[in-house]
Amino acid sequence: MIGSDGITAAAEATARVWEIGFDRDWATPARGMELSCWSTAEHVCDVVFSYACQLTARATTAYVKLLLRAEEHAGPAELVEGLRSSAGLLAAAVATTGAEVRAYHPSGMADAEGFAAMGATELLLHGDDVAVGLGLEFAAPQALCGDILARLFPTVEPVDDRWLTLRWATGRADIPGRDHVVSWRWQGAPLAG
């Protein structure tokens, strides 16, 4: 089960790596994206903030019409501060939302655990995208990746390296003997059963 602790762990893993790169060029493209490292970091803050909004508003048909942007003169340190802040809002929303609550996501009406898992995944994957763009190494917590795979990708058979499996399931890495993933969709809605 993924809850607020998983969001916090993902945010801290990302923040610790990004902090190493404060002196790097954040205008460099993030790995595999047209966006710069800066814009990707801003995007992940916005996505995690949006997930918190979805849960607290209990939105049923669309995303809440709010957009999070960094101030024009903000630097990488302020982006990391925003990352921790957005993740904290989502963690609080997840911790205070009942298991019966559902809110809109394009992958289905998600519960708090689904938003926690999706938020943690966004933090880890985009955290890695930015890290690679900045020339830094990123390693996500293996246990958290295993929990994410079980919740969002229940049909994926993980290899021993759960971080590699999560990146493979989202088209960011290759696993020998498996086809490269070009298109993927996660299971945001609660699992039947």
Side-chain angles (χ1 to χ4, degrees):
M1 170 136 176
I2 299 175
S4 56
D5 289 349
I7 299 160
T8 302
E12 281 309 307
T14 298
R16 282 193 303 272
V17 173
W18 288 3
E19 286 170 338
I20 297 167
F22 281 170
D23 63 343
R24 309 271 173 115
D25 181 5
W26 286 69
T28 302
R31 181 218 20 235
M33 304 183 79
E34 293 179 12
L35 297 175
S36 67
C37 289
W38 174 272
S39 295
T40 303
E42 189 177 54
H43 163 75
V44 74
C45 291
D46 177 54
V47 167
V48 174
F49 169 76
S50 293
Y51 289 173
C53 290
Q54 291 306 100
L55 276 177
T56 55
R58 283 140 174 81
T60 58
T61 59
Y63 276 110
V64 172
K65 305 300 185 225
L66 291 174
L67 184 61
L68 184 70
R69 291 270 186 234
E71 289 185 7
E72 184 180 345
H73 299 292
E78 286 82 15
L79 278 178
V80 169
E81 184 177 60
L83 178 88
R84 285 186 169 117
S85 178
S86 296
L89 291 171
L90 178 56
V94 165
T96 58
T97 299
E100 76 288 352
V101 173
R102 303 290 181 268
Y104 173 82
H105 186 275
S107 67
M109 294 298 286
D111 59 353
E113 183 186 14
F115 277 107
M118 291 185 291
T121 303
E122 294 278 358
L123 287 159
L124 295 175
L125 293 177
H126 288 315
D128 186 40
D129 293 338
V130 170
V132 169
L134 296 174
L136 301 169
E137 300 259 341
F138 187 94
Q142 288 288 327
L144 177 57
C145 292
D147 291 343
I148 289 169
L149 288 163
R151 176 58 178 81
L152 296 181
F153 301 95
T155 62
V156 168
E157 182 65 36
V159 297
D160 287 341
D161 185 338
R162 301 306 200 251
W163 174 225
L164 174 62
T165 307
L166 181 58
R167 289 181 293 139
W168 171 80
T170 57
R172 286 172 164 83
D174 289 317
I175 294 177
R178 293 189 185 183
D179 292 337
H180 180 76
V181 174
V182 241
S183 177
W184 57 274
R185 185 173 172 93
W186 55 30
Q187 175 70 38
L191 301 170

